């Protein structure tokens, strides 16, 4: 089973944690640990042989600095709500893994602001909510989406190419629970149609970034990134397709890391025990 | 031998070029060809069996649109001047390849605004010019550098971590002859010390871009790009080191492409027959 | 539209082909060409603006060496039969792309020697044939599979983790039409459970190879290969999972190349205009 | 400073080690740890704030199982002897890093069975021993090489494209101290000129493996691996060049890992805290 801890750093933390677990007769199989010395924060993920967890969290809290985050044996199958718009690639990949029990999570429902993806969800018996953003104020639209999400009390909300910018109020409802995927370029291209800009600049790589959503859509702590090579023979729609492939792969990788409790967040940065 | 052509596109160009070469009894070994339909530009690189090149350029010019760029059997070993500052990694890699005859170019001299790299150049018997930028106006400094370069009439000027921004006047002296390497990030970080910003953001990839220098230092047509994975255990100096490794590799790759006449430029974009 | 040609090489082929197309008023948009000088074979793939194809193949045949393979405007959506066993990853990826019309092919049916994947095929309305290999001689089993395939007259047979070794008689039924995916290691591991061997050796990379099936299951011309990094923290089942991810990606890439008529075969080797 | 431990696993090891270090007032900055449960072996690498190391090893030995390997504050700059033959690429990369103090080791001398690389060593003021294998029995030849190496009592012997197969007697002189680099393919090619075989098979990737030398030249525990893509346009000499690039990069990476005490060996497998 897994134990994760995030707290202020102090001398002797590893010894204190290990001793505490030993007193509970919990044998450490594997331990990953990191200290952010600039921020004075300690992160650890322990894989511990199964045993009696009664009282472990209390024992740990006694030897850890105030305000420590502790999770003893967190639920291995997370509850997830997926938000989408029209693009099928990330959603389908999630639905397949969910269907075959390899996602590390259980998809509760899919919510989309277009109806296009309803059919694929139905094929996998996943509840689908079509909540249109048209003809309704953004705040009201978001309330509907938030309500639909909340009835499932998910651990995470996954934006699988959900093309609406979230308001701060929406983000605040699910702090560090929303995971997004978006294309990335070197250099970055600001403004409309970055793929067209990338094409016109003749970039040789197209990337994707999976990240937690904090205040702004594309600016939260980064979980995973990857790139694919492209070249001058790619039209800009070819570049879009190449980007979709890498988006699918990076989101899948990021979700696996998150669902296995391998990702910690402090300020705008992650620690990933991959 | 190599023949490269860049010109306005028109119907039947491939047929006309191939027929012309056949009339000169030149057999095409391999042909790469690209048409930019947005810009209506035709690019080709032909590898042709050695033969009599007399009159070939004239024959080609007759069947090509006005203003065509044609190079028949361009010099396979380019003359190169390298500009550097203090960092050794890209320069040393170039010096090693130059020394063993695998650069595809001949390094004429190294010019640096610091003296630090003089020793490594001397070890390889490469003339080294220390032209300091201190205590002299930028224009006057650049004139010295331009003069030093020009006495070698190089085909290319390689910026091997040369940390001075070039003026438009400098760039205009060597149009599409200057090749630069710089770090790249997803997302991009503007302003001072991008590595520190990347560290604070917890990026998972660090990249490098080799490009021609046009108006601005980091904004010309891209020749090659690549990335390396990094993670939270990297300090920002570790990220700098990782960046140096990928800079070295990407610059080496870009120079090989350029020196083998595989790179074409139109507007702010390259066509690379890699 | 696409035109592909494979034939003995001779002087002036490019010129002759281009002239022939020009006579038919077919403008070449893009041309890829390769000569294997050891084998004296010429390969080309032309992207030609749409036009009248009447008589083009005959005209080409007149100017090409005897025995040339010529395909003018081959069917862009290939007919495909997929063979599988129990593993879902490659098959599901194909079904998803097929469903959304991005596979470049149309999946006619899935044939498996286990029933496990019937459900996922039914969800996508794809005919599924469960032909068990148990309690029946190999030759008889293969006859059943061949018959099931042949009723669809597919262009290609895709082995999506089909775990039965094909007899030479089976392979001969579909020459250079069968595409397989299998794991690959550096170094290679011979014999049972290569993942366990790879784990015990502590390999740092796991790869996958997509190839045409010729005589032996894993020995035909290679279409595409890729790897993923692994490390000591991977159990051998983790390595299997990592291998499945790269198998899915490499098979998808190979199929795209084949279905777009970008792959040529001569002897045991491919030419891929990717 | 670094502390590395490798020993039989038992319950409570992490707690015992951490407590021991705390008693010596040594604060753990970062800890990497792995248990091989099949082999029942425990590996850890601790980065500890500088402090008084007196008695630390003894204290650790008391709480660790018998036969533990313990290194407290190992020498950060290893002594290295490099063996080479004719190829310059790996050796030059090592010489450059050594020269600029970024190798993490100090090259004591270079020994080669050809004279070709003498010049490059002299340019870097590195002692060069030309010990020819011609006209002398293998055993006698190896004795000369062993004697030359031993006068420097190196921590590691690096085979930088040293093309002689080492006898078991040679290997036994430097157990788990010899590091080799060699090309790797998927699939593997046995016998003479694997690059030519790879070319004839049309492989799409070429790899390199850095490993400790145990009994056989290419069969010891793997430290690092990487690949580069190749394609049909590569001649087999192009493939050799591509292989040299990746060999250089992989050997550099492996040496960095080893010299920073990040690599552990148990049986034929490494644990790498990269």
């Amino acid at each position: 089973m897994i134990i994760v801890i995030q707290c202020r750093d102090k001398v002797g933390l590893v010894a204190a944690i290990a001793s505490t677990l030993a007193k509970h007769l919990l044998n450490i199989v594997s331990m990953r640990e990191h200290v952010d010395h600039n921020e004075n924060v300690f992160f650890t993920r322990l894989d511990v042989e199964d045993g009696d967890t009664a009282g472990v969290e209390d024992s740990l809290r006694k030897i850890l600095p105030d305000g420590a985050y502790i999770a003893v044996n967190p639920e291995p199958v997370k509850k997830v709500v997926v938000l989408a718009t029209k693009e099928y690639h990330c959603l389908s990949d999630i639905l397949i893994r969910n269907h075959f029990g390899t996602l590390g999570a259980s998809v509760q429902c899919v919510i989309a602001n277009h109806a296009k993806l309803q059919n694929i969800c139905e094929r996998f018996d996943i509840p689908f909510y079509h909540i249109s953003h048209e003809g309704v104020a953004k705040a009201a639209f978001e309330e509907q989406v938030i309500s639909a999400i909340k009835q499932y009390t998910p651990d995470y909300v996954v934006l699988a190419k959900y093309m609406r910018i979230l308001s701060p109020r929406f983000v605040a409802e699910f702090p560090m629970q929303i995971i997004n995927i978006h294309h990335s370029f070197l250099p970055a291209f600001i403004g409309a149609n970055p793929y067209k800009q990338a094409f016109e600049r003749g970039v040789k790589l197209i990337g994707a970034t999976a990240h937690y959503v904090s205040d702004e859509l594309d600016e939260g702590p980064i979980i995973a990134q990857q790139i694919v090579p492209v070249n001058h023979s790619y039209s800009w729609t070819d570049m879009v397709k190449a980007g979709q492939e890498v988006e699918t792969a990076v989101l899948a990788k990021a979700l696996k890391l998150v669902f296995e409790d391998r990702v910690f967040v402090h300020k705008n940065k992650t620690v990933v025990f991959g």
Side-chain angles (χ1 to χ4, degrees), chain A:
Chain A
M1 70 183 181
I2 301 304
I3 297 175
V4 298
I5 297 168
Q6 178 172 343
C7 61
R8 270 187 295 113
D9 189 34
K10 67 171 190 183
V11 174
L13 266 186
V14 171
I17 292 167
S19 299
T20 301
L21 296 180
K23 276 177 206 152
H24 281 267
L25 304 176
L26 294 174
N27 194 29
I28 298 170
V29 174
S30 162
M31 179 179 190
R32 295 293 296 275
E33 177 271 339
H34 177 70
V35 176
D36 182 330
H37 286 93
N38 299 309
E39 296 287 335
N40 199 39
V41 183
F42 172 89
F43 309 83
T44 192
R45 178 184 188 272
L46 300 115
D47 188 355
V48 175
E49 285 179 13
D50 285 349
D52 185 359
T53 61
V56 172
E57 183 174 335
D58 284 349
S59 297
L60 285 169
R61 199 163 297 284
K62 279 177 196 148
I63 55 100
L64 294 174
D66 286 351
Y69 170 78
I70 306 169
V72 175
N73 197 16
E75 171 59 40
V77 180
K78 314 307 188 203
K79 286 167 66 183
V80 167
V81 166
V82 182
L83 269 58
T85 293
K86 287 180 179 173
E87 287 175 272
Y88 76 87
H89 55 288
C90 288
L91 175 62
S92 299
D93 186 73
I94 290 169
L95 291 177
I96 287 286
R97 291 172 198 265
N98 182 67
H99 181 74
F100 286 101
T102 56
L103 183 63
S106 169
V107 175
Q108 306 295 301
C109 74
V110 173
I111 302 168
N113 57 321
H114 281 83
K116 191 183 164 194
L117 297 168
Q118 180 158 3
N119 177 277
I120 189 72
C121 292
E122 285 173 357
R123 285 176 188 268
F124 287 104
D125 307 320
I126 300 294
F128 180 88
Y129 298 80
H130 174 208
I131 303 178
S132 176
H133 64 282
E134 291 185 43
V136 56
K138 175 160 181 168
F141 165 69
E142 284 199 339
E143 284 311 315
Q144 290 182 61
V145 177
I146 291 168
S147 295
I149 296 172
K150 283 198 160 178
Q151 62 183 317
Y152 291 99
T153 59
D155 298 298
Y156 293 101
V157 176
V158 178
L159 309 186
K161 302 300 289 175
Y162 178 68
M163 304 307 280
R164 309 299 301 169
I165 294 175
L166 305 183
S167 73
R169 181 253 185 282
F170 192 120
V171 174
E173 282 286 338
F174 310 100
M176 288 306 131
Q177 293 178 285
I178 309 175
I179 297 164
N180 188 37
I181 181 75
H182 73 92
H183 46 64
S184 302
F185 300 93
L186 321 81
F189 297 100
I190 313 298
N193 206 333
Y195 277 105
K196 209 153 192 175
Q197 292 184 64
F199 168 76
E200 281 162 9
R201 182 67 193 284
V203 299
K204 307 306 180 195
L205 300 177
I206 283 178
T209 298
H211 62 97
Y212 288 103
V213 177
S214 51
D215 295 343
E216 295 179 67
L217 185 59
D218 298 340
E219 288 290 338
I222 296 167
I223 304 165
Q225 298 184 297
Q226 197 44 273
I227 56 91
V228 282
V230 294
N231 61 53
H232 65 265
S233 77
Y234 284 62
S235 66
W236 76 266
T237 51
D238 291 336
M239 288 190 177
V240 171
K241 284 179 205 163
Q244 290 170 338
E245 298 286 331
V246 72
E247 284 172 351
T248 305
V250 171
L251 182 56
K253 183 182 170 189
L255 294 182
K256 181 174 160 58
L257 291 167
V258 169
F259 297 160
E260 292 179 0
D261 297 291
R262 295 177 181 279
V263 184
F264 298 71
V265 175
H266 177 73
K267 291 196 173 167
N268 203 24
K269 185 173 175 175
T270 61
V271 169
V272 179
F273 295 130

